[in-house]
């Protein structure tokens, strides 16, 4: 009886440790979501105050992408060299400095500089946070815990929308009465306050990283087995399981001693990289960002949105966050492959129905129903599973580099979608554009059906050992 009590206590401490570490690492996702969404409330007041031309406005919105690409480009290789934890701390620092600097900027060039800096933080976090979580998570819960990162992104988006709405309404109610620096930040130039809100989660992220450990897989790869074993003992239910996992990590590390781009471009890793990049790109080509960013513009003409576009964004952000819980609930029980297949085919159906509504000129709230269902299907499949899959299928020596390539593909796909959507909407028509998005989801379904293999419940090392047989088969 006493042994059973200690076993339960041990399991409880293990779960608490894993949950705490995951939530801290997921703050990188929250800051990622906050940063990409907060700009939606900033564009108009910044444009008005600085009298931006159309090209300057476009550069202001898109310049963060350069930072994202740069952050992704260096963070994977850097994390393979100096460790995941240090690079996460760098992301937190970039978020903190950019939030303070942007709020204090007095000129347009400085705004651009700190937007690029914030983009670098987003790029680093989008790459390293899910990587770190996957390497700390036990096999039985890895899918669920990595999906927490996607949930954190949706929470960050919702926080940005809610804080933007609250600050905008506060500024409107306060009027133009003169005041001090707080009045300037949250009333007369309230866009500064919108961005400054990010200081709170950024500071928390930076401070809390002090209590999280380094990735045991990274430690083992660089000969620090004692430290790796100590962390694995906190993750596993017994010391025997921890020792066995360390042996498996060392065996795979010895087999994959040579990392880098050359190893990644050799079969079978090359096939895995192509699969992960295709699934990542087509998750973005589903049109999710068109719905999130251009949704108010699209639906305003149909009578769904009146004048308060920020309120509408709060509604979409809340739906996107809530539906992500479906993935957290089912990813480790149903598995990655069934969830991905079901979500992609249902997303294609919802987008097709949306296109039909536009084609038949169905206006008002009925149009919102298929779009909301699309968010539901995306949020439990195409959205989170691209992170889960990309963090699982690569061996430790190349995992950071491989994930950085996949995330780079994600940002380039986002850029292409945002660039082309207005052109497609005007040239092809909105109905045909949504039919094209549905076609991309349909392609994802058939591609995943052919190439995506199941990884639920398997250790990262076991996936690495089995992947060659799966791919050649």
């Amino acid at each position: 009886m006493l042994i059973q009590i200690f076993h339960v206590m041990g399991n409880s401490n293990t779960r608490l440790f894993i949950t705490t570490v995951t939530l801290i690492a997921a703050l990188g996702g929250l800051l990622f979501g906050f940063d990409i969404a907060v700009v939606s409330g900033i564009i108009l007041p910044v444009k008005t105050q600085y009298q931006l031309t159309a090209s300057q406005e476009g550069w202001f919105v898109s310049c963060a992408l350069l930072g994202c690409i740069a952050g992704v480009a260096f963070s994977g290789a850097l994390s393979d060299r100096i460790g995941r934890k240090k690079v996460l701390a760098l992301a937190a620092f970039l978020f903190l400095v950019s939030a303070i600097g942007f709020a204090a900027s007095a000129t347009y060039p400085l705004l651009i500089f700190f937007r690029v800096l914030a983009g670098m933080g987003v790029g680093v976090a989008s790459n390293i946070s899910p990587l770190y979580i996957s390497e700390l998570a036990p096999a039985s819960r890895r899918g669920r815990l990595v999906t927490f990162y996607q949930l954190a992104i949706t929470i960050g988006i919702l926080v940005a929308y809610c804080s933007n709405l609250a600050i905008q309404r506060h500024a409107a109610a306060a009027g133009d009465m003169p005041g001090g620096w707080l009045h300037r930040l949250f009333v007369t130039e309230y866009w500064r306050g919108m961005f400054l809100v990010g200081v709170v989660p950024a500071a928390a992220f930076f401070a809390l990283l002090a209590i999280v450990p380094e990735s045991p897989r990274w430690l083992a790869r660089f000969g620090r087995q004692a430290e790796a074993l100590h962390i694995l003992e906190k993750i596993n239910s017994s010391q025997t399981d921890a020792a066995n996992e360390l042996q498996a990590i060392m065996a795979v590390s010895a087999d994959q001693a040579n990392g880098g781009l050359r190893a990644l471009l050799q079969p079978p890793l090359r096939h895995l990289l192509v699969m992960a990049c295709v699934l990542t790109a087509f998750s973005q080509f589903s049109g999710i960002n068109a719905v999130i960013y251009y949704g108010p513009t699209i639906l305003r003409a149909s009578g769904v949105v009146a004048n308060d576009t920020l309120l509408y964004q709060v509604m979409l952000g809340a739906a996107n966050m809530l539906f992500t819980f479906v993935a957290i609930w089912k990813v480790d029980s149903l598995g990655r492959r069934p969830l991905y297949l079901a979500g992609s085919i249902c997303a294609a159906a919802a987008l097709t129905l949306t296109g039909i509504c536009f084609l038949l000129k169905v206006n008002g709230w009925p149009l919102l129903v298929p779009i909301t269902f699309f968010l539901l299907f995306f949020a439990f499949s195409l959205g989170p599973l691209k992170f889960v899959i990309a963090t699982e299928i690569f061996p430790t020596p190349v995992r950071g580099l491989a994930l950085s390539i996949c995330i780079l593909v994600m940002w380039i796909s986002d850029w292409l979608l945002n660039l082309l959507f207005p052109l497609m909407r005007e040239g092809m028509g909105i109905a045909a554009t949504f039919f094209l998005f549905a076609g991309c989801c349909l392609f994802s379904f058939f591609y995943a059906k052919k190439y995506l293999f199941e990884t639920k419940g398997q250790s990262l090392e076991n996936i690495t050992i089995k992947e060659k047989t799966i791919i050649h088969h």
Side-chain angles (χ1 to χ4, degrees), residues 7 39 130 160 162 165 203 235 287 385 399 421 456 464:
H7 180 69
V39 72
C162 289
L165 180 63
I235 297 171
L385 293 185
R399 188 175 293 124
F421 177 75
K456 74 167 184 175
T464 301

Side-chain angles (χ1 to χ4, degrees), residues 40 86 107 149 158 178 187 194 205 209 269 274 346 378 402 433:
S40 63
K86 291 178 182 177
T107 64
Y149 172 75
L158 182 59
V187 179
M194 287 178 172
F205 186 33
L209 280 172
L269 298 182
V274 170
C346 290
F378 180 89
T433 300

